Structures are given as structure tokens and as C-alpha cells.
Amino acid sequence: MENFQIEGENYIPTVNFAPEEGVLEISGESYHEYTIEFFQPIFEWLNNYLEQEGRTFTFNFRMTYFNTSSSRRFLEIFDLLEEYNKSKGGNVTVNWYYEKDDVDMLESGEEYAEDVDLGFNLIAY
């Protein structure tokens, strides 16, 4: 499967899915108005990627800021990954990176970790 990339800009996160390396990553800021349209190709790629059973990979989130609408898309991604682990024998680990002084980003990661049944690491940098 080919890599999937979106170059980050103002309001738009960087997306770098490298399936050969077993690492999918979303980073930067995400607070544009049209998150459904923005995330649509991401979900399409993920759904295709998750058709194959038993994949082991890491999903990194390195966000510096995101709005409520982006937060909903992230939760949809986590739900998709959780379902993949349960129904298709996946082994997905989520690494949630946050700046060590960014309490809001830490709390967001903690809330996501509580909401889903995934291997979930909170990593300060």
C-alpha cells in the first residue's frame, strides 16, 4: 500500500502515513472549518489499510492545537482503530505526544485513552 501524505499548513495538520514502516502520524495544528471534507480522504485511506487483518502498527499524534470538530474526527479514528483490534486481530499502539508544559494537550490524551480500549501511551517532550 502506498504512503499517504498531506503537507501541513495554517490550520491544517501534517499527515504522514507510512505503512511499510508501520507508522501513521498526524501532527501540528488542526482548526479549519471543513474538517469532514479534510478528513474524508484520511478515512478512505485508513479504511482501505484496515481491510487487511492482523496488522501491527503505531499511530502517532503530535498535535499542538486542535478544535472541537477535529477532536471529533480524532475520536472517530480511535474508534476505527479499536474496532480493528477487536474484529480483525490488529495490534495498534497509539502514542499521544504533548509538550511537557501543555496541560490541555495532556488532558486531551488522557480523555481519549479512557474512551477507547487501545494501547495508549502519553509521551511528554
Side-chain angles (χ1 to χ4, degrees), residues 12-71:
I12 297 175
T14 296
V15 177
N16 187 10
F17 293 170
E20 294 291 326
E21 299 171 19
V23 178
L24 313 182
E25 182 168 298
I26 297 178
S27 61
E29 301 175 334
S30 181
Y31 58 101
H32 49 88
E33 294 180 40
Y34 305 106
T35 57
I36 291 174
E37 292 83 356
F38 176 78
F39 279 90
Q40 183 64 31
I42 294 170
F43 281 105
E44 289 174 6
W45 190 95
L46 277 173
N47 283 318
N48 286 334
Y49 181 64
L50 299 177
E51 284 182 7
Q52 181 178 325
E53 295 184 2
R55 290 186 187 271
T56 296
F57 63 94
T58 301
F59 205 121
N60 294 324
F61 281 83
R62 295 177 189 263
M63 304 308 298
T64 54
Y65 181 79
F66 55 90
N67 62 9
T68 302
S69 184
S70 295
S71 178

Side-chain angles (χ1 to χ4, degrees), residues 74-93:
F74 295 163
L75 186 56
E76 290 171 8
I77 290 171
F78 293 133
D79 288 343
L80 191 64
L81 300 176
E82 182 180 36
E83 181 60 29
Y84 180 71
N85 274 357
K86 288 181 179 174
S87 66
K88 293 194 174 180
N91 184 13
V92 182
T93 300

